[in-house]
Amino acid sequence: MLLINCPLCGPRAQAEFNFERPVETIIGVDVPTAELVERLYTRTNARGPSAELWRHARGCRAWLRIERHTVTHVIASVAVWEPQS
Amino acid sequence: MRGYSAWALLRGGLGGHRHWRPAWRSPEPRKQYDVIIIGGGGHGLATAYYLAKHHRVSVAVLERAWLGGGNTGRNTTIVRSNYRLPAYQALLEHSLKLWEGLSDELNYNVMFSQRGALFLGHSDSDMTRLAERGDALRCAGIDAELMTREAVAKLVPLLDMSDKARFPIAGGMIQRRGGTARHDAVAWGYARAADALGVDIIQQCEVTGFAISGGRVTGVETSRGAIEADRVGIVVAGNSGHVAGLAGLRLPVESQLLQAFVTEPVKPMIDTVIMSQSVHCYISQSDKGEIVLGGDPDQYPTYSQRGVPMRIEEVAGQAIGLVPALSKLRMLRSWAGTTDMTCDGGPIIDETPIANLHINGGWCYGGFKATCGSGWVFAEQLATGDVHPLARPFSLDRFATGAMQDEAAVGPMPNHR
Ligand SMILES: Cc1cc2nc3c(=O)[nH]c(=O)nc-3n(C[C@H](O)[C@H](O)[C@H](O)COP(=O)(O)OP(=O)(O)OC[C@H]3O[C@@H](n4cnc5c(N)ncnc54)[C@H](O)[C@@H]3O)c2cc1C
Ligand SMILES: [Zn+2]
């Protein structure tokens, strides 16, 4: 289980969080169809570093940007989500 | 290949069992094959077997580690064809028919046990959905039987049927031809039979790159050197995204974990497969006597094959809620497999945008039941270059055209299935 250091609450168990989606799949409402299909329906799915949107759903409920390794599970950074990031 | 039979076993026993030979060769890779299959799980080995059996081609299966060490050897072995959408019904029913003759076909006991696959309904709306699915299945010629609450209680006497039950049971739907099989035996049986037909099975051979020129694949790079091939099939389940990435491709796949759990072995107590329309937990009893449990995936991207402990508590709680007697058992082991979760929950069986590079993956957490049928259709695809009609609904471009195969109807989020 991951130990996620929420910038607002401190270190908490993964059980309090929901993974939402990879950052690369977040799109604006007005993107062209081809880009929409590409971004919504494909994934880099790296066996390695991954940038993701999570939510501290059973805590402060903040949206978080987490950079994480998908094999070692080492968490490089956790930051409160800024929509433009 | 020496056939296995009761007579051979008896004769071997009289000779002190010195007659056993390795079930397949371990050849050095050749410089060139007509077809290379990447991945020595059930799907890759079944593909190799049907290729060698139905077509005159030279075939190698390249496996990074050992045969069946991926999801084939980690799954909870439920086999059934009672899906709701027609494309799944057709492919999985073709597969189920192959399962029914598989031990004879391979001369290998895969312990396919048609003990019935039961879905519990917990409410009126569950029962309506089960009835609707059952009708659709029967229209497609697939067996489905709606069961009353009393019939369910009789079939599985240990279910909590009391009025205080955590998951009240309103009835169920059963596919009597569904059941379980011995997962390792499926990999080993296909491997042995494919080897006997001349397929080179090469273990400890990781594909690390592709030779691509003029938009076509011409071979692979491996940890044991370069190998040329006319056609290459990627059949690597949880590693689909990674291996396709080596060819510069991006897939509609997110790799997540599914866990399984077994208890200590006990005398027979559950002789069917229990699943539910509303709770994700599923329960069966292995031939060794262990109670085999599964539940929700871990729902975040990881290749680690290490499950989150919170799932243990959740699955155990659901299982005990359904069958209270399970609370007396000790859980012996848990493990996880990396599943290739797609953006509509359906597999991808297609040629990639790189000519002669084909893929059969994205089976998510439900591809064991499809092993035979998936191998069957993919063998034809790798032999002829054309996608088999049963596999066409599972094309790569369906995400762009909107022809999604979304059995769970939850949209493009692999972690919401
Ligand atoms: C816990 C769990 C429970 C499940 N329960 C069920 C169930 O009850 N019923 C059901 O129908 N399905 C179930 N499934 C799903 C099912 O196990 C899979 O869909 C199916 O077994 C996939 O088979 P495969 O041959 O495609 O993959 P695998 O058996 O995973 O084989 C892929 C192989 O590719 C190899 N490989 C990977 N990368 C490379 C490389 N670069 N070079 C060479 N080789 C490589 C791997 O080592 C592996 O052996 C479950 C899965 C899990 C994890
Ligand atoms: Zn928080």
Side-chain angles (χ1 to χ4, degrees), chain A residues 47, chain B residues 38-44 62-66 68-79 205-208 235-239 242-243 246 258-260 282 335-340 360 363-371:
Chain A
R47 200 162 81 186
Chain B
I38 308 172
H43 287 232
L62 310 182
E63 165 56 47
R64 174 177 76 168
W66 68 94
N71 293 347
T72 298
R74 292 166 192 266
N75 85 96
T76 47
T77 78
I78 301 170
V79 175
C205 181
E206 175 167 2
V207 170
T208 53
V235 200
V236 295
N239 280 290
H242 173 72
V243 174
L246 299 174
L258 185 66
Q259 303 190 55
Y282 41 93
W335 63 88
T338 308
T339 56
D340 33 352
N360 180 354
W363 282 98
C364 304
Y365 44 61
F368 181 69
K369 61 180 73 66
T371 304

